[in-house]
Amino acid sequence: MTINYELKQLPEKPGVYMMFDSLGNIIYVGKAKNLKNRVSQYFINHKDRVSKVVEMIRHIHTLKYIVTDTELDALLEECRLIKEIKPRYNKQMKNDKKYSYMKIPAERYPKVMIVNKKVDDEGLYFGPFTSPQQVETVLRYLKEFYPIRKCSTPGLVKRANGCLFLQLGTCLGVCTGRVSPDEYKVYLERIRQLLNGNNRDALHELSISMDTAINNLDFEKAAHYNAYLLGLRHVIGKQRLVQSSSRNRNVLAFEVIDSQLGKLFLIKGNKILYRKVVNLETTGISELRQDLKQIIRDKFGTENSGIVTFTQQDIDEAQIISSYLKKNRSRIPSFWIPTTRLKRAPDLDSTVLKIVTRIISGNLSDGPMVN
């Protein structure tokens, strides 16, 4: 069986494809919205290809594929297979990512630090974050713009005039013993609000500073501020994803596959609990309402509704789901189903009726709906 024959058999449907070498090893895993179009592109003579892609194509002996209902299914399956198989030519997610956290220890005068693991202590953690470099950039920003402790011996009188950081104006000078914990906590709270995305003043000020530097032709300083902006946006974006997932919210999403079929997703905290293809032509409103009520009760009602510990392994899947629904919000409606509604039949009936009416009517272009 030749590659050309296999290419002709590829369907124009979403799915995951696997490239094999002559020894039967999977050397690459990818996803496609349209398998035929995506995989065929590898074997068209493109100029200016990256050398590693050219090398990979030379080693392809055969290929296999898995058809999925939607692109979201393909994305999740690709993520799972790459983590499991670790193919040679998959740069993204090939190795387990080195996640990092930002931590404020439970101390009188804590320093903000970077750690690689979240432990069960009284410290305040932010993350996990997928880019250690961006996290290090944010830590440099905090040290430069917030007068938090830099020295290693908090609260001890080392010298009357304090350390060098106090003299430079980048530290309150806790090493002098003249700074109260309450005074210090004011700045820690500002940092907490910033990293949680609750106060974006710092981003606005950095943007203004960067524009000013550009106008003054000080491009080195502008690049310095821009690096801080990129780091903060990464950290704040990931932290919001973690918070959203940790809230364990019940979300129902519905994606149209074609004129007859659609796919139902039940998501809790950005983790898919249930997926089902629905035939919209053969399923009546009454039947769909009853099915949805039962599925919602079974899946959302029995799951733990407490705060979830967001592990390193969860973040990739959560990012895929969150990004996919956000990017396709105009055609994939999502419905928030509060836990309180699961306990009251009339409230659940009302919610399900709105969902079913929206799905059956095909009026999906109105965008997401939160109940």
Side-chain angles (χ1 to χ4, degrees):
M1 187 181 294
T2 65
I3 285 289
N4 287 335
Y5 176 82
E6 291 173 337
L7 291 175
K8 291 177 182 178
Q9 307 308 308
L10 287 167
E12 296 184 10
K13 293 184 177 181
V16 175
Y17 55 92
M18 293 160 283
M19 306 296 198
F20 292 77
D21 63 15
S22 59
L23 298 176
N25 299 311
I26 299 176
I27 59 174
Y28 187 78
V29 173
K31 69 88 188 171
K33 189 174 183 178
N34 183 310
L35 282 165
K36 193 175 194 69
N37 292 346
R38 179 69 187 95
V39 178
S40 297
Q41 288 176 1
Y42 286 101
F43 303 95
I44 298 172
N45 186 24
H46 285 296
K47 294 181 179 180
D48 303 323
R49 265 193 171 136
V50 178
S51 58
K52 283 195 174 183
V53 176
V54 174
E55 180 187 337
M56 182 195 77
I57 293 172
R58 284 204 304 263
H59 284 86
I60 297 174
H61 182 262
T62 186
L63 63 91
K64 292 183 180 179
Y65 62 88
I66 302 169
V67 175
T68 60
D69 297 319
T70 67
E71 188 183 2
L72 176 57
D73 293 306
L75 284 162
L76 293 169
E77 183 65 9
E78 177 199 37
C79 179
R80 184 189 69 79
L81 287 172
I82 291 173
K83 285 182 178 294
E84 179 183 314
I85 301 169
K86 297 180 174 61
R88 177 181 174 184
Y89 289 101
N90 282 98
K91 291 189 70 175
Q92 280 192 323
M93 295 182 287
K94 176 181 175 183
N95 301 312
D96 292 334
K97 288 181 179 176
K98 298 298 182 182
Y99 291 85
S100 57
Y101 297 80
M102 300 193 77
K103 178 183 179 181
I104 300 178
E107 302 171 355
R108 281 168 59 85
Y109 303 100
K111 292 198 296 184
V112 182
M113 60 180 63
I114 298 173
V115 296
N116 295 323
K117 189 175 181 180
K118 185 177 181 179
V119 297
D120 188 14
D121 58 14
E122 296 181 356
L124 179 62
Y125 289 85
F126 303 88
F129 304 113
T130 53
S131 173
Q133 296 81 8
Q134 297 285 30
V135 176
E136 289 169 2
T137 298
V138 170
L139 185 60
R140 289 197 299 271
Y141 163 79
L142 295 178
K143 288 179 178 179
E144 182 175 338
F145 286 88
Y146 292 83
I148 53 178
R149 178 169 68 88
K150 313 292 191 300
C151 55
S152 59
T153 53
L156 299 180
V157 179
K158 296 174 65 175
R159 55 180 67 90
N161 295 327
C163 60
L164 175 63
F165 298 109
L166 174 61
Q167 296 170 25
L168 293 174
T170 62
C171 180
L172 288 175
V174 295
C175 58
T176 65
R178 296 193 296 267
V179 178
S180 72
D182 288 340
E183 184 181 0
Y184 192 78
K185 285 178 183 177
V186 170
Y187 295 97
L188 292 179
E189 177 60 20
R190 291 178 185 175
I191 291 172
R192 188 185 72 82
Q193 292 288 338
L194 170 65
L195 298 183
N196 281 331
N198 298 327
N199 187 339
R200 303 183 70 86
D201 289 346
L203 278 74
H204 181 65
E205 290 169 3
L206 275 174
S207 183
I208 292 174
S209 298
M210 184 176 70
D211 290 342
T212 301
I214 291 173
N215 291 333
N216 293 334
L217 303 181
D218 191 343
F219 300 114
E220 184 176 350
K221 184 174 288 186
H224 185 68
Y225 292 140
N226 186 54
Y228 284 158
L229 271 172
L230 292 176
L232 283 170
R233 285 169 181 162
H234 171 83
V235 165
I236 292 170
K238 296 298 182 185
Q239 183 64 16
R240 283 182 166 179
L241 175 64
V242 170
Q243 290 174 328
S244 173
S245 299
S246 298
R247 290 190 192 105
N248 236 5
R249 289 174 57 164
N250 304 316
V251 175
L252 182 150
F254 186 84
E255 179 171 3
V256 172
I257 297 174
D258 56 33
S259 59
Q260 292 182 322
L261 303 176
K263 187 147 190 182
L264 179 72
F265 295 91
L266 265 62
I267 304 162
K268 181 181 279 288
N270 279 341
K271 189 174 184 64
I272 293 179
L273 301 180
Y274 182 82
R275 318 180 207 186
K276 180 183 179 181
V277 174
V278 178
N279 190 317
L280 298 175
E281 283 203 351
T282 61
T283 306
I285 293 179
S286 178
E287 180 184 353
L288 187 55
R289 283 179 65 184
Q290 288 302 119
D291 286 349
L292 271 186
K293 280 194 291 185
Q294 190 61 48
I295 293 168
I296 288 170
R297 284 198 186 99
D298 289 347
K299 299 301 175 181
F300 288 150
T302 57
E303 289 289 320
N304 181 10
S305 59
I307 297 297
V308 174
T309 300
F310 203 55
T311 65
Q312 295 179 353
Q313 289 73 25
D314 293 331
I315 195 169
D316 287 325
E317 185 174 326
Q319 181 68 64
I320 288 169
I321 297 168
S322 176
S323 298
Y324 187 80
L325 293 180
K326 184 176 181 179
K327 182 179 73 173
N328 297 285
R329 69 178 76 187
S330 62
R331 66 180 186 84
I332 304 177
S334 56
F335 308 85
W336 171 41
I337 304 173
T339 303
T340 53
R341 295 204 171 195
L342 300 176
K343 301 175 182 178
R344 296 196 295 266
D347 289 344
L348 182 57
D349 287 341
S350 174
T351 298
V352 171
L353 178 59
K354 291 178 182 178
I355 295 172
V356 170
T357 301
R358 180 87 168 270
I359 291 173
I360 293 294
S361 68
N363 188 20
L364 304 179
S365 60
D366 291 343
M369 184 174 92
V370 177
N371 290 301

